[in-house]
Amino acid sequence: MTKKILLVEDEPLAQARIVSIIQKERPDWKIQEAVQSVSELKQLLEGPFEFDLILCDIHLADGLSFTAFQNKEITIPIIFITAYDEYALQSFEHNCIDYVLKPIQEDRLLKAFDKAEKFVTSGEPKTLPPNFFDNFISHYAPKAYKKRFLTKLGSKLVFVNAEDIAYFFADGGVTFLVETGTSQKFVVDYSLNELESELLDPQKYYRINRSMIINLDNLIEMKPYHNGRLVLSLKARSEDAIVVARERVNEFKSWINQ
């Protein structure tokens, strides 16, 4: 069944990713309109429109897309797209709302599509509570990722700025960061799990295997490696090859392509 889609997204690569998935997996769906700002979205919502689904990035260049929906009667499903998992996801438990994290994974987006389709055919009430977006915005607070790390270098304590870190790695139960350019190693008091889930910006850092997280800004090149893996070159030396685990290769390529 043909669906008319409103796409609200200001990142060209994310737009291309969404379009590619729709063309591949929902070829009968059509992106009827695409806008890139809160102001454009507000203007569009002021007039009559006929859409079956809205795909909407939360963060746009001119603000939060939520503000465009305030005081509007929303009667169709919305799939929000965000790079930040700190948003109060409990707020998305309403049956016509779903969310997808960036980098956009095809399987997760398709699950959101399935939810939207079931909602439309369920015959359930289709209007969001009038204060839904007011409540959400009032509790909104952007997540602050770490800007610098207090590290150990011998008997010294040294600050290293996050943008100066090429990668983190774990060895023998100890976590190290490696500085861009100098390739100097420093000990940090966090596990890779803590760094990945709580402290590092997921748009800049990616865990390529069980023992290493890299900074995308320090990636120079990547090449095919043994057994379907990738080997990376960064702006810092490493004693061992920097390799993306085979099971993470596809996700890593999608992450880079945002």
Side-chain angles (χ1 to χ4, degrees):
M1 179 180 176
T2 301
K3 285 192 183 300
K4 297 176 181 178
I5 312 299
L6 168 60
L7 176 60
V8 185
E9 173 61 72
D10 61 355
E11 295 181 18
L13 290 175
Q15 289 175 3
R17 174 73 170 156
I18 292 167
V19 170
S20 174
I21 293 172
I22 289 175
Q23 289 176 341
K24 175 185 173 187
E25 300 293 340
R26 297 291 195 279
D28 54 334
W29 291 17
K30 180 182 179 182
I31 295 179
Q32 188 80 3
E33 188 111 25
V35 297
Q36 300 183 27
S37 67
V38 176
S39 59
E40 287 179 303
L41 178 58
K42 284 181 177 178
Q43 185 175 3
L44 187 63
L45 294 176
E46 289 295 335
F49 63 93
E50 294 183 2
F51 299 108
D52 302 301
L53 174 66
I54 299 175
L55 300 177
C56 187
D57 195 351
I58 290 177
H59 259 296
L60 298 171
D62 57 344
L64 292 175
S65 61
F66 295 126
T67 59
F69 295 103
Q70 287 179 290
N71 303 314
K72 300 291 189 299
E73 187 176 88
I74 306 301
T75 60
I76 61 174
I78 306 173
I79 298 172
F80 284 108
I81 302 164
T82 177
Y84 306 97
D85 61 2
E86 84 283 0
Y87 290 90
L89 299 184
Q90 294 86 352
S91 297
F92 290 104
E93 290 177 356
H94 192 278
N95 54 11
C96 75
I97 293 283
D98 204 351
Y99 71 95
V100 175
L101 296 179
K102 292 183 178 180
I104 298 169
Q105 301 304 311
E106 182 174 310
D107 289 349
R108 181 64 186 89
L109 184 58
L110 292 178
K111 286 180 181 178
F113 287 167
D114 289 342
K115 180 177 177 180
E117 287 180 306
K118 289 177 182 177
F119 172 74
V120 169
T121 59
S122 68
E124 296 178 14
K126 296 180 172 63
T127 304
L128 281 168
N131 60 347
F132 177 88
F133 292 105
D134 291 332
N135 289 340
F136 194 91
I137 292 171
S138 69
H139 291 93
Y140 167 75
K143 184 170 183 177
Y145 295 106
K146 280 193 72 65
K147 295 182 173 64
R148 65 189 67 83
F149 288 83
L150 180 62
T151 67
K152 298 175 185 175
L153 181 61
S155 60
K156 297 179 181 179
L157 296 177
V158 181
F159 277 112
V160 179
N161 292 326
E163 62 266 25
D164 296 327
I165 299 169
Y167 61 92
F168 296 85
F169 74 97
D171 184 26
V174 179
T175 304
F176 300 88
L177 68 78
V178 177
E179 193 174 41
T180 302
T182 67
S183 301
Q184 178 68 58
K185 293 193 304 184
F186 300 85
V187 176
V188 292
D189 291 327
Y190 301 102
S191 68
L192 291 186
N193 287 340
E194 290 173 323
L195 291 168
E196 180 184 27
S197 64
E198 301 174 18
L199 304 175
L200 298 176
D201 184 346
Q203 290 294 287
K204 294 185 177 182
Y205 296 88
Y206 186 86
R207 190 167 183 173
I208 60 171
N209 56 49
R210 274 195 258 179
S211 61
M212 186 174 289
I213 297 172
I214 70 160
N215 181 351
L216 176 62
D217 292 339
N218 284 271
L219 178 62
I220 298 174
E221 65 177 3
M222 55 184 182
K223 297 179 180 178
Y225 199 58
H226 310 303
N227 299 320
R229 297 175 293 171
L230 294 173
V231 63
L232 309 180
S233 296
L234 302 178
K235 297 175 185 176
R237 297 186 303 276
S238 172
E239 296 175 3
D240 302 309
I242 299 175
V243 177
V244 182
R246 183 170 56 185
E247 65 272 14
R248 292 177 178 254
V249 166
N250 288 336
E251 184 180 87
F252 178 68
K253 288 179 178 177
S254 296
W255 176 73
I256 283 186
N257 196 33
Q258 294 297 307

